[in-house]
Amino acid sequence: MRDSLQTMAVLLCSTTAAFAQQRVVQGVVTDSNGEPLPGTTILVKGTTTGTTTGTDGSFQLGIPSNANTLVISSIGSKTQEVSIGTQTTFRITLSADTQTLSDVVVVGYGTARKSDLTGSVASVTGAQLTQVATADPVQALQGRVAGVDITSNSGQPGSGTRIRVRGVGTINNSDPLYVVDGVQIGDISFLLPSDIESTEILKDASATAIYGSRGANGVVLITTKHGKAGKTQFNVFGYTGFQQIRRTLPLTNAQQYATLVTEAYTNENAVVPADYTALLNSALQGQASGFDYQNLVLQKGLVTNYSLSASGGTEQNRYLISGNYFQQDGIVKQSGLKKYVVRLNDDATLTKFLKAGVSATFTNSNQTGAGDGTGNPTYSTVLQNAIQANPISSPYNADGSYSYNNITSFTPNLARYLTEQKYNKTTNTTLFTSAYLDVTLLKNLTFRSTFGINYNNVHPKVYLPQYYLGPNDQRSQSALIESRIENVSWVWSNYFNYNKSFADNSSLSFTLGQEAQRGYGSGISVTGYDVPADATLQYISAARAANSSVRSSQYDGSLLSYFGRANYNFRDRYLVTGTLRFDQTSRFLGSNRTGVFPSVGAAWNVFNESFLKDATAVSQLKLRASFGSVGNQNAAPNYGYASTAINNQNYVFGIDQARAPGLAIATLNNPALKWETAVTTDFGIDAAFLDNKLTFTGDIFERRTKDMIALLPVPNYLGQAPASANVGTLRNRGLELALNYRNELGKLQYNAGVNFTKINNVITDLGGANPIASGNTQVGYTTRTSVGREIAYFYGLQALGIFRSQDEASGYVNAAGTPIQPEAKAGDVKYQDVNGDGKIDATDNTYLGSATPNFTYGASLNLAYTNFDFKILLYGVQGAEALNAAAINLDKSSAIANIWTNFYADRLDRWTPSNPNSNQPRLTSNATTNDNLSSRHVEDASFLRARNMELGYTLPRTVLDKFRINGFRVFASVDNVFTITKYRGLDPEISASGYYNNPLAYGVDYGNYPQPRTYRLGFNVQF
């Protein structure tokens, strides 16, 4: 408000001085990161002549001929004086002012200076989010914040992203809470990165406890863009480009494939099956050219994004309206996303004591090639099938019709399957609205009421046509699966804020509030059979079969809360924060419905002590500590305390043995179920040096999850599934470091930043339950979760290499001289006898690593030279393993399930009598233990990825004035420029949510849809 009044005064005064102006100066004002500073005041020293910068940080000012100095000021930055001389064009960088640095930092139910914070809070600007080509604002955060791990569910357009704040905090739901403009919400996919002004991530209990039972996994606060006072400003942003796969897998061609398969039968003196002998012989003789199935399913996909916004108004009424269009065609054919977003907001000062505002965001997205028709995301098998299909058989017959593949008939004809994906559509419509009322009751006391409501409608539709190619590739009856899913949630928050400052730089503030939330929804899904192939008749009502099926779902949950927070700042040196929240939820019963979540934080602003006043190299130094508990009610499903029953269960009663319909209890109940609680301890330091050119933030923390929900073991004779119970505990310990340096060298301005995160994750108790096996593949379960280890580690046999000779195989004996692997031959895999019982079986399965990394890191570099700018963003993971489930087939020694899929090209270096030193097992047509799940299938998935590289050019003011525009920038950008990794799969970045959203399949790669490389050309113009 103060800045706005100052701006108005400057504008009025500058008008009266217009007649005395003799010449014009112009320029651009940016912050230390090279980002433009709109609203900065430019004054001629000693006069009232001045102006303010536009949205791109540019300005133009007529000045008197005797003017010598410009005074540049902006809230949050140090005021700077610049000598004019004969110069007419300026590029001015304002450094941050530590005393006002965090006036804009958002915290729960309010704002605070960063110097006053006792908790761990990280900030990301909106400009940083638009650097990457994505429709997902969460994905745009990747690599920018220490302690925050972000992975895409897949590279498929619209597949979503998973964020983990300070590691995986539970074997259940580890998603954080999102808060958009003060309204709590479970998902922000309805926004685009260009809609966001700033993002704050709350990481420790001192920061998150104000959100009680929803804050255990961290809180992401989103502030969207709002209008600013001034004449209407238009902003047009856009880019277009294309995406392609980073790499394809090196697989055998037709002749190489035929060589390996034929050799497998030759090694066992067996006859090649008659149904594909001719195909193999043709390939061996070079008569079959072979087919590249990866090339069949892949494409270069268009990506484009355009947005237009208009904002402005007066001090009494400010508005913004924007429209966005985003299109992304996937790198796999028949996959893509179109997304439309319209936003508007209005903020009004009604009286001196009363302010109000409203906002609305409408989003419509259309996704192709994903989903199962019921609203659930499905794992795309297109690439998995493409890399397994044998390279001999073409998907087309000579007449152009679809062929039948005798060798890998379990794999659908991919040409036909791709065509079918165009019938796989999901439409998602969201309307998010909010309104607020601010009342100044007394000088230091304000009241705010915020109400937000989110409506979401999902319409999945999948048509499966009837066809017949062969006995293993057919569909006898067409089907149409169509669903309607409706979700509504609302939040009403009411709270008072009291702030009192004292003459000795001390301050006291209180927040006291009440909040009510409710979420409810329902869905219905219908499957109709024998539906016509004509697209105009693909409706459930057109189904000609009588055996349609109907499924439905519904839920209703609510939360009533009371919360309070007190902050005391003693002489700007010693800070104390206390938070308390009471939550009552409908998800549990009785006394378990109520939870109390306290936290306390303290900080010492060492920089303000007298003994550091002469330490000119130190610009800021603060030590922090916090402790508290936060809940996670989302770990429990709705009605998780109740038993579940299945219908259509018949039972025979009485003498006449009459059959009566009934229900059967399928799951035991647990009325004592309650939320999980995370108890967090944090110690941190915030420091700045060299006039704030060098900044550093460090945190060490421990988060203990208690009352973690797991399944209680029950005797098998009960015949019922176990109930969920609060029996588990988990511990995360970690270290976070972030370092940033900015400076300038002549006309070159640069800013470099790095961040580092190390987290140790351990399950400390499962309530006596057996270890949890998960991550099912073609060779069984691949992960295990047990006490003393991290979540979802890989579990299988430890391979020791290859038996080089038959003597070596026969000589691998136990203490009694009996062969440990009696069936082994030269060229077979040698396994470790872990338990020492003299044989190899499932009891020798052991720890093989996990997808939990040793550490993650990110780095960024921003350069600006005159009108040019350059940015690069790096992201890396070290010490993570992945289970390459696709390689179980591609590295096979014998036919898995009697199917000969394709091979990795390096399988040509297999063991043979003439190649005894190979580390690849022999080929055989007999079943062996060579393909058992083992360390052979676990690979190093560490990687360093150049997430983005961008080069931009801003047109000079002399050119802009000719066209009467405020700013124009063009740029060229590449996403996923390079990836350095030893991993042999398509992409080492594997979703943290696992296969089919199973967190216990973390790191299992089934042939995931990889992240694409994207090339873009774009522009940004303001007028």
Side-chain angles (χ1 to χ4, degrees), residues 123-145 148 150-152 160-163 178 188 191-196 199 201 222 239 873-875 947-948 975 989 1011 1016:
S123 300
V124 179
T125 66
Q128 292 173 308
L129 297 181
T130 57
Q131 190 174 334
V132 179
T134 177
D136 190 336
V138 176
Q139 188 180 28
L141 291 167
Q142 188 181 58
R144 296 194 177 277
V145 180
V148 179
I150 294 171
T151 55
S152 295
T161 308
R162 286 294 180 269
I163 178 172
Y178 298 98
I188 57 172
L191 294 172
L192 285 170
S194 56
D195 296 326
I196 296 173
T199 302
I201 301 175
I222 303 292
Y239 60 76
L873 176 64
L874 304 176
Y875 174 65
R947 189 71 181 88
N948 172 265
D975 295 342
E989 185 178 337
Q1011 299 297 310
R1016 293 178 292 151

Side-chain angles (χ1 to χ4, degrees), residues 674-687:
K674 60 183 179 181
W675 36 47
E676 299 177 348
T677 301
V679 180
T680 302
T681 304
D682 183 276
F683 297 95
I685 179 173
D686 299 316

Side-chain angles (χ1 to χ4, degrees), residues 320-341:
L320 179 145
I321 183 170
S322 67
N324 291 267
Y325 170 73
F326 179 89
Q327 177 181 345
Q328 181 184 8
D329 296 335
I331 57 176
V332 173
K333 295 175 183 177
Q334 301 294 350
S335 67
L337 173 72
K338 291 183 179 180
K339 187 173 181 178
Y340 309 84
V341 181

Side-chain angles (χ1 to χ4, degrees), residues 254-569:
Q255 190 176 55
Q256 294 166 339
Y257 170 85
T259 298
L260 295 178
V261 174
T262 302
E263 181 181 301
Y265 290 94
T266 302
N267 285 343
E268 302 299 337
N269 296 318
V271 178
V272 176
D275 55 349
Y276 49 87
T277 300
L279 287 172
L280 293 176
N281 289 336
S282 176
L284 286 172
Q285 296 167 11
Q287 297 174 359
S289 59
F291 197 87
D292 187 343
Y293 279 90
Q294 292 183 90
N295 185 60
L296 171 70
V297 303
L298 295 171
Q299 67 177 3
K300 288 184 178 179
L302 172 72
V303 59
T304 187
N305 183 26
Y306 296 103
S307 67
L308 170 64
S309 68
S311 64
T314 66
E315 286 299 323
Q316 285 68 43
N317 191 66
R318 301 164 302 284
Y319 64 89
L320 179 145
I321 183 170
S322 67
N324 291 267
Y325 170 73
F326 179 89
Q327 177 181 345
Q328 181 184 8
D329 296 335
I331 57 176
V332 173
K333 295 175 183 177
Q334 301 294 350
S335 67
L337 173 72
K338 291 183 179 180
K339 187 173 181 178
Y340 309 84
V341 181
V342 177
R343 293 185 62 247
L344 59 91
N345 57 61
D346 189 85
D347 300 279
T349 302
L350 303 177
T351 70
K352 184 178 180 180
F353 307 103
L354 190 62
K355 298 178 182 178
V358 294
S359 66
T361 302
F362 174 81
T363 304
N364 177 266
S365 65
N366 298 283
Q367 190 178 14
T368 302
D372 62 355
T374 66
N376 296 314
T378 59
Y379 170 72
S380 175
T381 60
V382 173
L383 275 172
Q384 181 183 357
N385 290 330
I387 62 180
Q388 293 183 22
N390 83 76
I392 297 178
S393 305
S394 168
Y396 302 104
N397 294 314
D399 61 359
S401 60
Y402 298 130
S403 65
Y404 180 67
N405 182 346
N406 283 319
I407 300 179
T408 49
S409 59
F410 79 98
T411 302
N413 182 294
L414 279 175
R416 186 208 63 79
Y417 183 70
L418 277 175
T419 302
E420 183 178 289
Q421 296 309 299
K422 67 184 180 182
Y423 301 119
N424 188 333
K425 303 284 188 180
T426 300
T427 301
N428 195 321
T429 302
T430 300
L431 178 61
F432 174 76
T433 61
S434 65
Y436 72 88
L437 182 69
D438 276 342
V439 183
T440 302
L441 301 174
L442 298 172
K443 180 181 179 181
N444 300 311
L445 180 63
T446 62
F447 170 77
R448 185 179 180 97
S449 181
T450 301
F451 182 82
I453 186 168
N454 187 57
Y455 170 80
N456 176 248
N457 183 288
V458 185
H459 177 197
K461 184 177 181 179
V462 174
Y463 178 69
L464 304 172
Q466 179 185 14
Y467 72 96
Y468 182 87
L469 299 179
N472 294 329
D473 194 0
Q474 62 165 304
R475 186 179 294 119
S476 61
Q477 192 177 42
S478 65
L480 177 66
I481 308 170
E482 190 167 2
S483 304
R484 294 289 193 280
I485 305 164
E486 226 175 36
N487 301 293
V488 179
S489 63
W490 57 260
V491 182
W492 188 14
S493 306
N494 302 280
Y495 54 95
F496 295 89
N497 274 322
Y498 176 81
N499 295 277
K500 175 67 175 177
S501 298
F502 303 98
D504 61 352
N505 286 331
S506 296
S507 63
L508 179 67
S509 66
F510 294 99
T511 299
L512 185 64
Q514 174 270 342
E515 189 170 70
Q517 306 178 40
R518 185 186 176 197
Y520 57 94
S522 62
I524 186 168
S525 179
V526 181
T527 302
Y529 297 97
D530 196 12
V531 175
D534 188 337
T536 62
L537 297 175
Q538 288 178 9
Y539 299 98
I540 294 295
S541 58
R544 291 169 292 201
N547 58 335
S548 297
S549 63
V550 179
R551 298 166 298 278
S552 67
S553 62
Q554 50 280 320
Y555 74 95
D556 194 343
S558 57
L559 189 70
L560 179 63
S561 309
Y562 302 89
F563 55 88
R565 177 177 56 213
N567 298 281
Y568 181 61
N569 177 347

